[in-house]
Amino acid sequence: MKKGYMIVLGIMLILIIALSIICFILINNRKIKLEIKEGTLTETSAVLIINHEYEPKISFGEFFFIEKKEGLIWKELEAENLATALIGYTSYGKGATETKINWAEQYGKLKKGKYRIKKYINGKLYSVKFKIK
């Protein structure tokens, strides 16, 4: 009886530890989230909201790139002008930071389709999907 009880207790302990590790990984991989501010999306620009509720400091630059979904594949758009200012921004405090992305000079007007903007924040690549109607 004691041996069976100890085995069940050991299995439960292993499951609790495994679930704790999984939750920790999921939470820590979602510290930063990008979204497009409602009402700001046009064929040439959008305002990005960088949500960093669990990250007290974020750093990012002007650089971004856009991909278009073609079938099941995301393909990077070819930029007409890759000149980008090497300006860095830092935001302190948990919350949300807004930044305007104007892609008219690099990509011109986007045609109808599904797209995503990719941007480096704190050295990691994040993206947000959007649709031009």
Side-chain angles (χ1 to χ4, degrees):
M1 180 74 173
K2 283 186 178 183
K3 185 177 179 181
Y5 179 71
M6 293 301 284
I7 291 172
V8 170
L9 192 59
I11 291 172
M12 288 177 62
L13 183 60
I14 291 169
L15 287 173
I16 289 171
I17 291 170
L19 287 173
S20 297
I21 291 170
I22 290 169
C23 288
F24 177 79
I25 290 169
L26 290 174
I27 289 170
N28 285 319
N29 284 338
R30 285 285 156 211
K31 287 183 180 179
I32 297 172
K33 182 182 172 196
L34 286 181
E35 60 185 281
I36 293 178
K37 186 175 183 177
E38 192 173 330
T40 67
L41 178 62
T42 70
E43 298 169 323
T44 59
S45 66
V47 173
L48 285 184
I49 300 174
I50 305 169
N51 289 306
H52 50 103
E53 190 62 37
Y54 302 103
E55 192 72 34
K57 175 186 167 188
I58 61 166
S59 298
F60 60 95
E62 294 281 325
F63 179 76
F64 67 91
F65 58 98
I66 297 179
E67 296 177 330
K68 183 175 184 180
K69 192 168 189 180
E70 295 180 10
L72 298 174
I73 300 170
W74 289 98
K75 292 189 177 181
E76 187 174 344
L77 294 181
E78 194 166 321
E80 297 168 10
N81 178 8
L82 281 177
T84 302
L86 295 175
I87 299 171
Y89 302 98
T90 302
S91 179
Y92 295 94
K94 298 175 183 180
T97 301
E98 292 184 7
T99 183
K100 184 167 185 175
I101 303 289
N102 186 341
W103 54 78
E105 286 184 27
Q106 286 178 295
Y107 301 105
K109 284 186 176 182
L110 298 182
K111 296 178 176 139
K112 289 182 182 180
K114 294 179 182 178
Y115 296 88
R116 67 181 174 190
I117 297 172
K118 295 184 112 180
K119 188 163 189 61
Y120 284 96
I121 303 166
N122 287 357
K124 293 182 182 177
L125 192 58
Y126 293 88
S127 66
V128 59
K129 297 175 187 174
F130 63 96
K131 187 186 286 188
I132 299 291
K133 299 178 182 181

